[in-house]
Amino acid sequence: MRVEYINPFVEAAFDILKEVLGDDVQRGELYLKSTSKSVMGVAAFVGLAGNVEGRVLFDMSMETALAIASEMNGETLTVLDDLGKATITELANMITAQAVTKLHDLGFVFDLTPPAIFTGENMEITDNEVEALIVPVITKQGKIEINVAVRERT
Amino acid sequence: MKTKMDFPSINERKPEGQGAGGEAYKVLIVDDSMFVKKQISQILTSEGFEVVGTAGDGLEGLEKYKELYPNVDFVTMDITMPKMDGISSLEKILEFDKDAKVIMVSALGKQDLVKKALMIGAKNYIVKPLDRVKVLERVLQSIK
């Protein structure tokens, strides 16, 4: 998978996370997964379809999701209720919307699905024939992994 | 004991969300995200605006506007929503009330849709993530 697909998502995630959570956001080392990858507990999933296709996953632990949703709402959420899920969905929405603009500018044309939130334990994701590039982003609230598996449509 | 009444009121100011006579400006919030609805609502009510209705999609927004009219001063309208998007809802609200004040709310990256909305007759736009100061500034520019 080409790195140019993931960069816009990482840049957008940085911009948006800094804006909603404060300046303390750091980038971890990028890594590649060609086999199944475990999912941490809360994952926002956005599908892409067009001349590139695949999906983006914003993956985090339940504790991180709750801390982020609490920070964004200005109140402590102890369970990931409808408001908490709507908050994480909106975060994924803002990041993907900004990333997509950058990708459109690079000439990639595709549509996005609305984000879906998956929650649970011992989940894993497998992408057949598409490698996933993963960039961990460290915030004060915890780690979010931006997991992008995209390929050009043939 | 000193009370608030003992001090001069030099720091008191009228909330921005109220008209000359002290009446609150009335807003209808149209957005499919519970989080964004809550955020906009908190920003506006903290400044004295009154949320007279909320809707979760463009169609419901249009129906609510008709129902509330003329007791609604402005609308905040998300762009991407199920059933009817914000642009179509804006068009239909303006067909019903050509003086309607509609402010689009958009994620960064929807510039083309925002431009389209402004061409159709939206009064202004707000980009997410929402910043309290910018939200109030854009809203006040649009309604005053």
Side-chain angles (χ1 to χ4, degrees):
Chain A
M1 195 184 89
R2 287 154 63 179
V3 176
E4 63 192 287
Y5 296 136
I6 196 170
N7 282 341
F9 288 99
V10 176
E11 287 165 16
F14 255 74
D15 291 350
I16 301 290
L17 288 170
K18 277 186 175 179
E19 209 161 328
V20 298
L21 302 177
D23 279 338
D24 192 11
V25 179
Q26 286 161 15
R27 178 184 171 156
E29 283 294 311
L30 179 143
Y31 65 100
L32 193 107
K33 272 272 174 185
S34 53
T35 53
S36 298
K37 162 86 176 72
S38 58
V39 175
M40 286 189 270
V42 177
F45 181 105
V46 180
L48 286 71
N51 63 10
V52 292
E53 60 185 6
R55 55 93 190 139
V56 180
L57 203 66
F58 298 94
D59 184 15
M60 64 200 89
S61 68
M62 178 59 82
E63 292 72 32
T64 302
L66 285 171
I68 289 175
S70 298
E71 175 68 27
M72 287 176 68
N73 280 287
E75 63 179 270
T76 304
L77 302 185
T78 52
V79 287
L80 201 66
D81 54 8
D82 288 347
L83 176 63
K85 287 175 189 161
T87 309
I88 301 298
T89 303
E90 190 53 33
L91 181 65
N93 246 331
M94 291 188 286
I95 294 171
T96 42
Q98 186 167 331
V100 163
T101 311
K102 295 181 183 192
L103 284 164
H104 282 183
D105 292 345
L106 293 171
F108 302 111
V109 182
F110 53 86
D111 287 322
L112 294 171
T113 62
I117 301 284
F118 292 83
T119 55
E121 289 170 15
N122 300 320
M123 297 188 292
E124 62 174 38
I125 186 158
T126 308
D127 300 278
N128 272 337
E129 296 166 24
V130 193
E131 289 167 326
L133 273 175
I134 298 154
V135 177
V137 176
I138 321 295
T139 71
K140 209 165 64 182
Q141 287 72 23
K143 179 175 73 172
I144 304 173
E145 286 197 339
I146 304 166
N147 178 325
V148 180
V150 175
R151 65 177 176 192
E152 275 172 62
R153 185 173 275 177
T154 48
Chain B
M1 193 179 87
K2 291 230 173 212
T3 69
K4 202 176 162 197
M5 293 304 289
D6 297 324
F7 293 99
S9 60
I10 51 169
N11 289 326
E12 280 178 21
R13 65 171 180 89
K14 187 171 70 65
E16 300 274 19
Q18 294 180 1
E23 72 291 352
Y25 292 114
K26 298 179 181 70
V27 56
L28 166 65
I29 299 171
V30 187
D31 204 302
D32 62 336
S33 165
M34 185 196 284
F35 167 69
V36 179
K37 267 194 285 212
K38 180 180 169 231
Q39 240 192 339
I40 295 176
S41 171
Q42 279 178 340
I43 292 172
L44 293 178
T45 50
S46 73
E47 205 44 58
F49 292 88
E50 184 189 350
V51 179
V52 286
T54 62
D57 61 67
L59 187 60
E60 195 191 349
L62 171 67
E63 284 161 3
K64 280 266 170 78
Y65 188 88
K66 289 180 176 172
E67 204 180 292
L68 291 166
Y69 181 83
N71 295 313
V72 53
D73 297 305
F74 70 104
V75 181
T76 67
M77 177 75 75
D78 186 22
I79 292 187
T80 312
M81 287 183 289
K83 287 190 193 166
M84 183 189 283
D85 63 47
I87 307 264
S88 309
S89 185
L90 163 73
E91 274 177 323
K92 298 211 177 296
I93 286 176
L94 287 170
E95 273 170 29
F96 171 76
D97 170 19
K98 66 177 175 45
D99 298 320
K101 295 185 174 78
V102 181
I103 300 161
M104 307 309 287
V105 178
S106 152
L108 196 66
K110 302 261 170 72
Q111 287 92 333
D112 290 347
L113 291 172
V114 169
K115 270 185 215 160
K116 190 175 169 190
L118 292 172
M119 298 284 284
I120 291 169
K123 291 285 177 236
N124 216 323
Y125 67 97
I126 302 167
V127 176
K128 293 185 281 188
L130 299 177
D131 173 82
R132 179 188 157 82
V133 174
K134 281 185 199 151
V135 170
L136 292 171
E137 189 185 281
R138 297 279 165 99
V139 165
L140 292 169
Q141 275 170 8
S142 312
I143 59 171
K144 285 190 172 169

